[in-house]
Amino acid sequence: MSKTYRVAILGATGAVGTELLELLESRNFPVAELKLLASERSVGRSLPFKGENIIVEAVSDRALENVDIVLASAGGSTSKAWASVAVEKGAVVIDNSSAFRMNPDVPLIVPEVNPQAAADHKGIIANPNCTTILMTLAVWPLHQVRPVQRIVAATYQSASGAGAKAMAEVKTQSSAILKGEEPVAEVLPYPLAFNLFPHNSPLTDSGYCEEELKMVNETRKIFGTQEIRITATCVRVPVLRAHSEAINLEFAEPFSPDEAREILSHAPGVKLLEDWGKNYFPMPIEASGRDEVLVGRIRQDISHPCGLELWLCGDQIRKGAALNAVQIAELLVEKNLLQPTKAYVAR
């Protein structure tokens, strides 16, 4: 990376935005100029980057001028409002919201899984949902050896998935409960401390919530096939940071746990973590702050001869969001893919 690039972080003061800032510095991304953009209420704040304090600006047409890469993590409505503006001004937008994920003109990228799809971008690249990223990282290496036919996923999603305010709310609720007081829920619909509930995203007519359908539709798009049968149950749990997932895989023929372990022990972005003698497997407290997705408890499904079970934990803010976005930017720079193949046209 001999060249340097003008980078903007849209949503710079949020949980993912501040993680993006830290990753750009720690991974030594070749930043020539950095702009921190956010809503009016965050304007004037300063955030540190490489020994300097950078002042947060309001997102505007002018602020998006002379930018090569926009890392957006400010919500779907903000991305829909500003992504096409940034593209028109010559930037590539790597968007962390759900705004463009299922748009057929927008690649949905996990660099360890489908980096080749990035070459077809038209100025916008979508970052998948956090649960999808973590799951595909563990399933894709196995799918390459024997195509998976069916995935049954159950997720245990931390407060970090709802942002920094949700994490703070869980702490406040925990303190209140321990004092014998009634916990107050404002960010999430119900108290999460010492509690859990099905994911709070809107329910659809199918009976699935939007979060569950994201795992279905996004995984199929990333894998490049509509043939995989996928179902998911997503749950909010009282964990501050890092999601966990129980994954059941069905293949056309048996897939031995030992072979799966051997494959996953060499898979990029994955760390195999198992100690059967101590009943020790991945935990969110150990996945927090780590780049790798921790995978373990790989075992034969006793209900199906061609079934395989695994358990994983991954940091929702890092690999589930910010790290994946920075890795996409690194991929674009390394492969010289910043120029879009065609102009993006908003639908």
Side-chain angles (χ1 to χ4, degrees):
M1 297 184 187
S2 56
K3 291 180 63 178
T4 56
Y5 302 88
R6 298 163 296 183
V7 180
I9 298 177
L10 177 55
T13 57
V16 175
T18 54
E19 199 79 12
L20 285 166
L21 189 64
E22 188 277 324
L23 286 165
L24 288 175
E25 180 169 347
S26 64
R27 294 174 72 88
N28 200 30
F29 190 84
V31 176
E33 179 186 352
L34 182 62
K35 293 184 179 182
L36 303 183
L37 308 178
S39 62
E40 290 287 349
R41 66 179 178 271
S42 296
V43 171
R45 286 183 56 184
S46 66
L47 296 174
F49 181 72
K50 292 190 174 181
E52 298 182 15
N53 288 321
I54 301 179
I55 303 299
V56 176
E57 306 174 49
V59 58
S60 65
D61 285 55
R62 183 176 179 181
L64 290 170
E65 291 177 353
N66 301 314
V67 172
D68 299 310
I69 301 169
V70 175
L71 300 171
S73 186
S77 59
T78 301
S79 291
K80 288 178 181 178
W82 293 106
S84 58
V85 175
V87 172
E88 288 171 3
K89 293 181 178 297
V92 172
V93 177
I94 301 170
D95 183 52
N96 195 59
S97 78
S98 61
F100 304 102
R101 289 175 185 157
M102 299 313 299
N103 186 319
D105 293 329
V106 177
L108 185 65
I109 303 295
V110 178
E112 296 90 342
V113 178
N114 63 334
Q116 71 288 345
D120 296 325
H121 78 83
K122 299 177 182 179
I124 301 175
I125 293 177
N127 213 25
N129 190 49
C130 49
T131 51
T132 304
I133 292 173
L134 304 180
M135 182 175 74
T136 57
L137 215 63
V139 175
W140 178 253
L142 305 176
H143 180 69
Q144 292 297 95
V145 177
R146 290 183 187 82
V148 63
Q149 296 187 333
R150 184 169 186 250
I151 303 174
V152 180
T155 71
Y156 308 80
Q157 296 181 222
S158 61
S160 61
K165 290 183 179 179
M167 296 170 72
E169 180 170 273
V170 171
K171 293 179 181 179
T172 302
Q173 291 171 352
S174 298
S175 177
I177 291 171
L178 291 172
K179 293 176 182 176
E181 300 171 357
E182 194 71 22
V184 177
E186 295 178 343
V187 180
L188 292 169
Y190 312 106
L192 187 57
F194 301 98
N195 191 30
L196 57 80
F197 46 83
H199 196 277
N200 50 292
S201 59
L203 289 170
T204 69
D205 292 340
S206 67
Y208 284 72
C209 69
E210 289 182 358
E211 185 82 359
E212 292 159 348
L213 293 179
K214 287 175 186 178
M215 295 189 75
V216 175
N217 298 323
E218 292 178 18
T219 301
R220 288 173 174 164
K221 182 174 179 178
I222 294 164
F223 279 22
T225 176
Q226 295 296 309
E227 302 303 314
I228 303 177
R229 292 168 291 147
I230 306 171
T231 184
T233 300
C234 295
V235 180
R236 284 273 186 221
V237 296
V239 171
L240 280 182
R241 180 165 170 161
H243 293 348
S244 303
E245 302 182 19
I247 308 295
N248 179 281
L249 304 174
E250 182 182 323
F251 301 90
E253 59 187 72
F255 204 134
S256 80
D258 284 342
E259 183 181 4
R261 287 188 191 95
E262 175 62 22
I263 293 166
L264 290 173
S265 67
H266 298 97
V270 169
K271 180 174 177 58
L272 186 65
L273 186 62
E274 293 185 321
D275 188 329
W276 288 85
K278 295 181 179 179
N279 197 11
Y280 170 66
F281 304 105
M283 294 180 284
I285 197 169
E286 293 190 344
S288 295
R290 296 183 65 154
D291 292 344
E292 313 100 323
V293 173
L294 308 181
V295 181
R297 204 161 185 247
I298 301 167
R299 64 198 191 280
Q300 171 69 47
D301 177 354
I302 60 173
S303 73
H304 196 296
C306 301
L308 194 67
E309 302 266 10
L310 59 85
W311 170 258
L312 65 84
C313 296
D315 190 317
Q316 175 273 332
I317 300 177
R318 287 186 82 87
K319 184 54 184 173
L323 175 61
N324 200 74
V326 172
Q327 287 176 312
I328 292 171
E330 291 171 344
L331 171 67
L332 296 178
V333 168
E334 179 186 352
K335 301 297 184 181
N336 195 26
L337 296 174
L338 282 177
Q339 294 302 316
T341 55
K342 297 179 181 177
Y344 174 76
V345 177
R347 295 192 177 202

